[in-house]
């Protein structure tokens, strides 16, 4: 993979799961990583500690997404952290929009409040995070949005969630065209069933059923997705933009 030394990165929702693995991978490749969290400051601190123990650089940024003032809070913390680490002049080279919430309820039980929350966190926040990030992103930057295999694979209990992830994919398609002249790439990565700390992954029967969806007959690990993100963040991926990368382990193959 490409050497990210001298690069800066922001990974939203990086206190656990895919976000955590991504933050650790980008730091291992040399980037200074802002580890964003919504509510679990202790978990985010543990991620930073793991990165520093491995010889990398990172700092935490706390901001609850989907509420008034969220973008200002996020970028105030981000810019302060960059300045503190002597990287304020570098701007933000890599943005990974990973933070999100799932619905997990039947269509008839989806309330307007839940729908609004899903849209606010999963679709609105990434749009305005990109908008703000572009003020400090140098030419040649990278934007990677975490979508979901559920934009191609039906699950009636996640209709609203899948709708928001479809919106995220449109960010990549249209922003790629807009930002091409600056050499900034924008892509979507779609995980499938990926271990995320949910108690269901501790149930062998459930894991067996989920694993059967993949061509490899196993569930995804956060590191599987982090490696794809790291590739897109590298110079080797400079000719890929506006793309949908299927990282479902073959689940979408049918």
């Amino acid at each position: 993979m490409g050497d990210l030394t001298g690069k800066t990165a922001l990974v939203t929702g990086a206190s656990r799961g895919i976000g955590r693995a991504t933050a650790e991978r980008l730091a291992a490749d040399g980037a200074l990583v802002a580890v964003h969290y919504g509510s679990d400051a202790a978990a985010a601190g543990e991620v930073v500690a793991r990165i520093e123990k491995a010889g990398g650089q990172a700092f935490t940024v706390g901001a609850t997404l989907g509420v008034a003032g969220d973008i200002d809070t996020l970028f105030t913390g981000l810019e302060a952290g960059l300045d503190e680490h002597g990287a304020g002049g570098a701007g933000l080279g890599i943005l990974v929009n990973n933070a999100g919430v799932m619905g997990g309820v039947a269509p008839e039980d989806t309330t307007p409040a839940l729908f609004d929350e899903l849209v606010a966190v999963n679709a609105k926040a990434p749009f305005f995070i990109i908008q703000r990030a572009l003020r400090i992103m140098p030419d040649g930057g990278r934007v990677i949005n975490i979508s979901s295999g559920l934009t191609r694979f039906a699950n009636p209990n996640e209709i609203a969630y899948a709708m928001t992830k479809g919106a995220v994919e449109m960010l990549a398609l249209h922003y790629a065209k807009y930002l091409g002249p600056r050499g900034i790439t924008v892509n979507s990565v779609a995980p499938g069933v990926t271990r995320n700390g949910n108690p269901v992954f501790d149930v062998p029967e459930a894991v067996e059923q989920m694993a059967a969806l993949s061509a490899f007959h196993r569930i995804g690990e956060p590191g599987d997705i982090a490696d794809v993100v790291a590739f897109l963040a590298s110079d080797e991926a400079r000719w890929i933009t506006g793309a949908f990368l299927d990282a479902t382990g073959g689940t979408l193959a049918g």
Side-chain angles (χ1 to χ4, degrees), residues 12 65 70-71 95 97-100 118-133 143 145-146 164-165 167-168 171 175:
T12 66
L65 300 181
D70 54 353
I71 308 304
L95 167 62
N97 278 311
N98 166 74
L118 291 169
V119 171
V121 176
N122 298 349
K124 182 179 179 180
F127 178 90
F128 286 101
I129 289 172
I130 294 173
Q131 182 190 72
R132 181 67 171 268
V143 178
N145 301 316
I146 304 301
T164 65
K165 289 302 184 178
V168 165
L171 284 176
Y175 257 124

Side-chain angles (χ1 to χ4, degrees), residues 64-88:
T64 301
L65 300 181
V67 301
D70 54 353
I71 308 304
D72 285 339
T73 300
L74 174 63
F75 278 85
T76 296
L78 170 66
E79 292 172 358
L82 291 175
D83 286 342
E84 184 178 339
H85 285 77

Side-chain angles (χ1 to χ4, degrees), residues 16-18 102 192-211 213 218-222:
R16 62 184 180 86
I18 291 170
M102 298 188 74
V193 178
T194 306
R195 194 183 304 276
N196 61 9
N198 189 299
V200 71
F201 289 98
D202 296 326
V203 181
E205 296 81 3
V207 171
E208 183 178 358
Q209 291 176 359
M210 292 186 288
L213 298 172
R218 70 171 177 86
I219 61 173
E221 299 295 339

